Amino acid sequence: MTAMPHEPLTQEDVLLEGFLALDTPEGFRAELIEGEIVVTPPPDGDHEKHISRIARQVIRRALADMDFSGNKGLRLTSAAGQPRDHVIPDITFAPLVADVFGGADSWMPGDGVAMALEVTSTRPNKDRDVKRRCYARGRIPLHLLVDRDDSTVTLFTDPQNGDYREQHRVPFGKPVPLPEPFGFDLETSDLL
């Protein structure tokens, strides 16, 4: 039997294979973001409260019926010279009619996702900057960031060239207008 030559694995291939083989402890989540493996511990109660308050409003008030998933893995376009980004938004929203979660793999493409929600946690700069760029490269139309350190909510829109061109930032207590398919003003007074 003759051995078949194999192309050598690139550094990006090795990193991606190692990431996909990780066995993280229960409650932790691992992401591959711009070529770095990031492992996050379980969130605190205030983090989850903020997510719950926003998800509740979206389900009740959005013009289109919305599906949502907490901790859904998204496989998005990579930064230059890096393996594909593998990110897990705190909440991923998609129109119910798109049925993007039905039959999806653990890591699905961002096609059909309407908005990714992040609430800052133990690594706030990852949530503020790096993950924002990931969502923009993945052409997620809307990205909502709840920044607990400075008590603001920012809606990022119009993803182009690896970032969002528009942003609307308000302090906790002020409404954030969410465009269609949501079509309502998100109240943030519950976040105070």
Side-chain angles (χ1 to χ4, degrees), residues 1-8:
M1 184 180 282
T2 307
M4 297 295 293
H6 292 281
E7 290 193 33

mmCIF file with all atom_site columns, all heavy atoms in Angstrom, residues 1-8:
data_model
loop_
_atom_site.group_PDB
_atom_site.id
_atom_site.type_symbol
_atom_site.label_atom_id
_atom_site.label_alt_id
_atom_site.label_comp_id
_atom_site.label_asym_id
_atom_site.label_entity_id
_atom_site.label_seq_id
_atom_site.pdbx_PDB_ins_code
_atom_site.Cartn_x
_atom_site.Cartn_y
_atom_site.Cartn_z
_atom_site.occupancy
_atom_site.B_iso_or_equiv
_atom_site.pdbx_formal_charge
_atom_site.auth_seq_id
_atom_site.auth_comp_id
_atom_site.auth_asym_id
_atom_site.auth_atom_id
_atom_site.pdbx_PDB_model_num
ATOM 1  N N   . MET A 1 1 ? 0.841  -1.160 0.000  1.00 0.00 ? 1 MET A N   1
ATOM 2  C CA  . MET A 1 1 ? 0.000  0.000  0.000  1.00 0.00 ? 1 MET A CA  1
ATOM 3  C C   . MET A 1 1 ? 0.892  1.230  0.000  1.00 0.00 ? 1 MET A C   1
ATOM 4  O O   . MET A 1 1 ? 1.856  1.313  0.741  1.00 0.00 ? 1 MET A O   1
ATOM 5  C CB  . MET A 1 1 ? -0.883 -0.020 1.249  1.00 0.00 ? 1 MET A CB  1
ATOM 6  C CG  . MET A 1 1 ? -1.850 1.127  1.263  1.00 0.00 ? 1 MET A CG  1
ATOM 7  S SD  . MET A 1 1 ? -2.917 1.126  2.731  1.00 0.00 ? 1 MET A SD  1
ATOM 8  C CE  . MET A 1 1 ? -4.089 -0.115 2.291  1.00 0.00 ? 1 MET A CE  1
ATOM 9  N N   . THR A 1 2 ? 0.549  2.196  -0.809 1.00 0.00 ? 2 THR A N   1
ATOM 10 C CA  . THR A 1 2 ? 1.327  3.419  -0.930 1.00 0.00 ? 2 THR A CA  1
ATOM 11 C C   . THR A 1 2 ? 0.668  4.521  -0.117 1.00 0.00 ? 2 THR A C   1
ATOM 12 O O   . THR A 1 2 ? -0.544 4.703  -0.193 1.00 0.00 ? 2 THR A O   1
ATOM 13 C CB  . THR A 1 2 ? 1.389  3.862  -2.407 1.00 0.00 ? 2 THR A CB  1
ATOM 14 O OG1 . THR A 1 2 ? 1.859  2.772  -3.188 1.00 0.00 ? 2 THR A OG1 1
ATOM 15 C CG2 . THR A 1 2 ? 2.285  5.062  -2.570 1.00 0.00 ? 2 THR A CG2 1
ATOM 16 N N   . ALA A 1 3 ? 1.464  5.212  0.626  1.00 0.00 ? 3 ALA A N   1
ATOM 17 C CA  . ALA A 1 3 ? 0.940  6.335  1.415  1.00 0.00 ? 3 ALA A CA  1
ATOM 18 C C   . ALA A 1 3 ? 0.665  7.505  0.486  1.00 0.00 ? 3 ALA A C   1
ATOM 19 O O   . ALA A 1 3 ? 1.445  7.807  -0.408 1.00 0.00 ? 3 ALA A O   1
ATOM 20 C CB  . ALA A 1 3 ? 1.933  6.742  2.486  1.00 0.00 ? 3 ALA A CB  1
ATOM 21 N N   . MET A 1 4 ? -0.478 8.125  0.696  1.00 0.00 ? 4 MET A N   1
ATOM 22 C CA  . MET A 1 4 ? -0.854 9.283  -0.113 1.00 0.00 ? 4 MET A CA  1
ATOM 23 C C   . MET A 1 4 ? -0.295 10.541 0.540  1.00 0.00 ? 4 MET A C   1
ATOM 24 O O   . MET A 1 4 ? -0.404 10.701 1.755  1.00 0.00 ? 4 MET A O   1
ATOM 25 C CB  . MET A 1 4 ? -2.385 9.411  -0.198 1.00 0.00 ? 4 MET A CB  1
ATOM 26 C CG  . MET A 1 4 ? -3.069 8.236  -0.883 1.00 0.00 ? 4 MET A CG  1
ATOM 27 S SD  . MET A 1 4 ? -2.631 8.092  -2.621 1.00 0.00 ? 4 MET A SD  1
ATOM 28 C CE  . MET A 1 4 ? -3.379 9.549  -3.283 1.00 0.00 ? 4 MET A CE  1
ATOM 29 N N   . PRO A 1 5 ? 0.284  11.409 -0.251 1.00 0.00 ? 5 PRO A N   1
ATOM 30 C CA  . PRO A 1 5 ? 0.798  12.652 0.341  1.00 0.00 ? 5 PRO A CA  1
ATOM 31 C C   . PRO A 1 5 ? -0.372 13.553 0.765  1.00 0.00 ? 5 PRO A C   1
ATOM 32 O O   . PRO A 1 5 ? -1.410 13.596 0.111  1.00 0.00 ? 5 PRO A O   1
ATOM 33 C CB  . PRO A 1 5 ? 1.603  13.284 -0.789 1.00 0.00 ? 5 PRO A CB  1
ATOM 34 C CG  . PRO A 1 5 ? 1.060  12.697 -2.040 1.00 0.00 ? 5 PRO A CG  1
ATOM 35 C CD  . PRO A 1 5 ? 0.529  11.330 -1.674 1.00 0.00 ? 5 PRO A CD  1
ATOM 36 N N   . HIS A 1 6 ? -0.203 14.207 1.871  1.00 0.00 ? 6 HIS A N   1
ATOM 37 C CA  . HIS A 1 6 ? -1.211 15.142 2.367  1.00 0.00 ? 6 HIS A CA  1
ATOM 38 C C   . HIS A 1 6 ? -0.610 16.540 2.361  1.00 0.00 ? 6 HIS A C   1
ATOM 39 O O   . HIS A 1 6 ? 0.576  16.713 2.626  1.00 0.00 ? 6 HIS A O   1
ATOM 40 C CB  . HIS A 1 6 ? -1.622 14.803 3.813  1.00 0.00 ? 6 HIS A CB  1
ATOM 41 C CG  . HIS A 1 6 ? -2.366 13.515 3.922  1.00 0.00 ? 6 HIS A CG  1
ATOM 42 N ND1 . HIS A 1 6 ? -3.689 13.389 3.620  1.00 0.00 ? 6 HIS A ND1 1
ATOM 43 C CD2 . HIS A 1 6 ? -1.953 12.278 4.310  1.00 0.00 ? 6 HIS A CD2 1
ATOM 44 C CE1 . HIS A 1 6 ? -4.076 12.150 3.805  1.00 0.00 ? 6 HIS A CE1 1
ATOM 45 N NE2 . HIS A 1 6 ? -3.037 11.449 4.229  1.00 0.00 ? 6 HIS A NE2 1
ATOM 46 N N   . GLU A 1 7 ? -1.455 17.482 2.073  1.00 0.00 ? 7 GLU A N   1
ATOM 47 C CA  . GLU A 1 7 ? -0.989 18.860 2.179  1.00 0.00 ? 7 GLU A CA  1
ATOM 48 C C   . GLU A 1 7 ? -0.801 19.174 3.650  1.00 0.00 ? 7 GLU A C   1
ATOM 49 O O   . GLU A 1 7 ? -1.602 18.761 4.484  1.00 0.00 ? 7 GLU A O   1
ATOM 50 C CB  . GLU A 1 7 ? -2.009 19.809 1.555  1.00 0.00 ? 7 GLU A CB  1
ATOM 51 C CG  . GLU A 1 7 ? -2.070 19.691 0.052  1.00 0.00 ? 7 GLU A CG  1
ATOM 52 C CD  . GLU A 1 7 ? -2.846 20.835 -0.571 1.00 0.00 ? 7 GLU A CD  1
ATOM 53 O OE1 . GLU A 1 7 ? -2.800 21.950 -0.028 1.00 0.00 ? 7 GLU A OE1 1
ATOM 54 O OE2 . GLU A 1 7 ? -3.483 20.585 -1.594 1.00 0.00 ? 7 GLU A OE2 1
ATOM 55 N N   . PRO A 1 8 ? 0.259  19.885 3.973  1.00 0.00 ? 8 PRO A N   1
ATOM 56 C CA  . PRO A 1 8 ? 0.484  20.217 5.382  1.00 0.00 ? 8 PRO A CA  1
ATOM 57 C C   . PRO A 1 8 ? -0.637 21.131 5.891  1.00 0.00 ? 8 PRO A C   1
ATOM 58 O O   . PRO A 1 8 ? -1.187 21.945 5.150  1.00 0.00 ? 8 PRO A O   1
ATOM 59 C CB  . PRO A 1 8 ? 1.834  20.931 5.380  1.00 0.00 ? 8 PRO A CB  1
ATOM 60 C CG  . PRO A 1 8 ? 2.060  21.367 3.972  1.00 0.00 ? 8 PRO A CG  1
ATOM 61 C CD  . PRO A 1 8 ? 1.274  20.433 3.085  1.00 0.00 ? 8 PRO A CD  1
#
